[in-house]
Amino acid sequence: MTDRTLYYTHNINPRVAVAVARHLKSPVELVRYEPMGADREAFLPLNPNSLAPLLVEDGKPLWEADAIALRLARLDGGDFWPDEHAVEMMMWVSWSAHHFTNAGAALVWHNVTARSFMGDPEPGVVEDAANDFNRFAAILDLTLAGRDWLVGNKLSYADFRVASSLPYAERGKIPLGAYANIRAWHDRLNQIDAWSDPFEGIA
Ligand SMILES: N[C@@H](CCC(=O)N[C@@H](CS)C(=O)NCC(=O)O)C(=O)O
């Protein structure tokens, strides 16, 4: 039997990977670790990025949340990453990384993470990040005016991926107020236990 472990922390990208694993009931052991702290040296050969998530299968490492999600979806064999919509899936995954989640994560970084060790962020920096977020949020909101889910009229990894920063919206001061369709879509996602509380019962 394959020995399969998903290493995670509670931040944006590993949260998505854990949510996928729990949603798909993947045959993985979930282990919390500190890739930039106590576990850094030991894990360097497996992940030279010193980041989470990390999937290790019989000693073979796979990093990047999206690659891990694809691997878990293939293992599952279902349609969480539907082959017939592979190109559209890639569009949303890429758009999330480069635009929407990038902008949301910047707000979380300035308003939560960096604030904890650098103090209050420069207002101009936060304003730029918010403008960036608003630019892409308007596009997502318009898209979601006409559909419940992003790809193929069904929940897929595209929804998990594009929503990755939203569980941190309150703490990160991500401005969702003007985007009723995004909020309704995220409410739908939050009906899924694996999304609303991926760390339930684990460290
Ligand atoms: N592109 C990578 C980004 C990974 C990444 O930036 N991970 C961050 C969390 S979002 C990390 O490991 N930070 C250190 C930590 O969480 O302890 C992916 O999608 O997996």
Side-chain angles (χ1 to χ4, degrees):
M1 209 174 97
T2 307
D3 183 38
R4 202 175 274 121
T5 306
L6 177 58
Y7 295 93
Y8 69 91
T9 70
H10 281 214
N11 291 319
I12 292 178
N13 292 292
R15 186 191 191 282
V16 175
V18 172
V20 172
R22 296 201 91 166
H23 180 62
L24 298 179
K25 299 185 174 41
S26 301
V28 293
E29 189 188 350
L30 298 169
V31 174
R32 189 171 179 179
Y33 82 142
E34 293 181 34
M36 296 177 103
D39 298 314
R40 188 175 179 279
E41 291 299 320
F43 277 81
L44 274 179
L46 289 168
N47 187 356
N49 303 289
S50 297
L51 293 171
L54 166 68
L55 177 67
V56 182
E57 295 182 84
D58 281 342
K60 187 167 174 253
L62 184 68
W63 21 273
E64 290 300 313
D66 298 327
I68 292 169
L70 180 55
R71 172 69 184 139
L72 297 181
R74 290 263 162 96
L75 266 178
D76 173 65
D79 57 2
F80 195 59
W81 193 309
D83 281 347
E84 77 266 37
H85 298 299
V87 173
E88 210 183 332
M89 290 293 293
M90 193 62 226
M91 180 186 84
W92 286 113
V93 166
S94 181
W95 185 79
S96 171
H98 295 289
H99 303 300
F100 187 70
T101 299
N102 191 39
L107 285 164
V108 176
W109 169 258
H110 293 305
N111 288 324
V112 184
T113 320
R115 184 185 232 127
S116 69
F117 56 87
M118 286 164 58
D120 283 349
E122 294 281 325
V125 170
V126 176
E127 201 181 305
D128 285 351
N131 288 342
D132 203 27
F133 180 83
N134 281 317
R135 176 180 166 203
F136 298 109
I139 295 166
L140 181 61
D141 200 64
L142 198 61
T143 302
L144 289 167
R147 54 181 114 159
D148 280 353
W149 305 111
L150 289 174
V151 173
N153 249 333
K154 280 174 88 168
L155 173 77
S156 74
Y157 179 64
D159 300 290
F160 273 31
R161 192 22 136 181
V162 172
S164 335
S165 69
L166 302 187
Y168 305 81
E170 211 175 305
R171 279 170 284 163
K173 301 190 180 139
I174 296 177
L176 288 178
Y179 307 111
N181 298 319
I182 295 180
R183 286 188 277 109
W185 167 71
H186 198 229
D187 287 346
R188 283 191 287 283
L189 277 167
N190 275 326
Q191 313 267 310
I192 301 161
D193 291 344
W195 182 259
S196 63
D197 193 1
F199 304 118
E200 201 262 315
I202 58 174

